[in-house]
Amino acid sequence: MVEVPAEHVVLHDRGSWSTREVEVQAFVLAAVPVTQGLYRAVTGRRVEAQGAGGREPVTEVSWFDALHFCDLLSLAHGLIPCYGTSGAGPGDERARGRPAGTPGGGDPDGADLRGDPGADGYRLPTEAEWEHACRAGSTGVRYGDLDTIAWCRKNSGGRPHQVGCREPNAWGLHDMIGNVWEWCWDLYDPRVYGPYRVFRGGGWNDHHWGCRASSRRKSHPTLRIDDLGFRVARSL
């Protein structure tokens, strides 16, 4: 986990040509996306694997799956779950040691899920946290030369690669751009897209214009696809 400093962040949405300002508090973020091996160890679920070593980023995971993983990992480390997908409400001390429940409590859009800002467990980063961490103080399109920092359509050979093999950004975070897109907590635009959630960063099958610090896409929280994963954060 890498500590990310507090910052006043301005987010730009090229689709709507709008900006919004967000105060990001200091937090910690995993240096690499969650791997197939870690996901299997925490959840007991084997996902479709394209590599043999387990160090490839986990894909074919929904937004619900990502939240459920965060809660199980929190329980494994003796922390308070943020989302309550493991049998109790967000931040409920009684969640410790309970068996896993159904993510979202049965709501197909996840409207019943709330994050507890006071919980000390693992969680998804917000969109503002993700972009701030990705940029690591830089202001350009991306934090380095695309060929050296990212797996994308030009160099990936049509598949994801083991995490941490490309050069990190200035704060030691790998694969923030390319390899796999990463789920964030936020709704994309509820007025237009309803429950669709944000994912960021570009993936192994994207052209250079999709692999930017500001790249953002969205889908329903049940989406599972072969170039979309996630990484975990914790509040300080």
Side-chain angles (χ1 to χ4, degrees):
M1 303 293 285
V2 174
E3 185 167 345
V4 178
E7 183 62 82
H8 180 82
V9 177
V10 180
L11 297 177
H12 301 268
D13 183 356
R14 293 183 63 184
S16 63
W17 296 103
S18 62
T19 62
R20 60 188 177 95
E21 300 183 10
V22 182
E23 292 294 336
V24 172
Q25 302 301 314
F27 70 106
V28 292
L29 185 68
V32 296
V34 172
T35 63
Q36 294 174 3
L38 179 60
Y39 189 83
R40 188 162 57 246
V42 171
T43 67
R45 176 186 163 213
R46 182 181 180 86
V47 295
E48 189 67 25
Q50 296 190 32
R55 288 285 299 169
E56 294 79 10
V58 69
T59 58
E60 306 285 356
V61 286
S62 70
W63 182 83
F64 289 124
D65 294 333
L67 267 59
H68 191 47
F69 173 91
C70 288
D71 279 352
L72 292 178
L73 186 63
S74 298
L75 292 172
H77 289 184
L79 304 172
I80 301 172
C82 290
Y83 303 119
T85 68
S86 300
D92 192 335
E93 290 277 1
R94 296 170 298 172
R96 298 188 178 190
R98 287 197 177 191
T102 301
D107 186 291
D109 295 332
D112 56 341
L113 278 170
R114 297 288 185 274
D116 180 0
D120 62 357
Y122 294 94
R123 58 177 177 81
L124 291 182
T126 66
E127 184 177 17
E129 287 175 334
W130 188 96
E131 184 167 333
H132 171 46
C134 177
R135 291 188 179 279
S138 66
T139 57
V141 172
R142 54 188 70 89
Y143 52 83
D145 176 72
L146 185 61
D147 281 336
T148 62
I149 67 171
W151 296 110
C152 58
R153 180 173 292 199
K154 180 181 177 181
N155 61 14
S156 70
R159 62 181 177 87
H161 289 258
Q162 291 190 4
V163 301
C165 294
R166 303 276 87 181
E167 290 184 4
N169 67 13
W171 293 344
L173 297 163
H174 295 263
D175 301 313
M176 293 295 291
I177 291 175
N179 214 2
V180 294
W181 291 86
E182 298 179 8
W183 284 112
C184 293
W185 167 255
D186 306 62
L187 291 163
Y188 186 87
D189 184 346
R191 297 169 299 175
V192 179
Y193 296 101
Y196 277 30
R197 299 283 172 166
V198 173
F199 43 93
R200 302 292 303 263
W204 56 264
N205 196 38
D206 284 277
H207 293 287
H208 66 89
W209 57 79
C211 295
R212 309 184 315 274
S214 61
S215 292
R216 61 195 304 260
R217 291 185 184 170
K218 77 282 184 188
S219 191
H220 193 271
T222 55
L223 175 73
R224 294 188 177 105
I225 197 168
D226 62 359
D227 64 349
L228 175 57
F230 67 102
R231 75 179 69 210
V232 297
R234 283 185 66 199
S235 301
L236 291 176

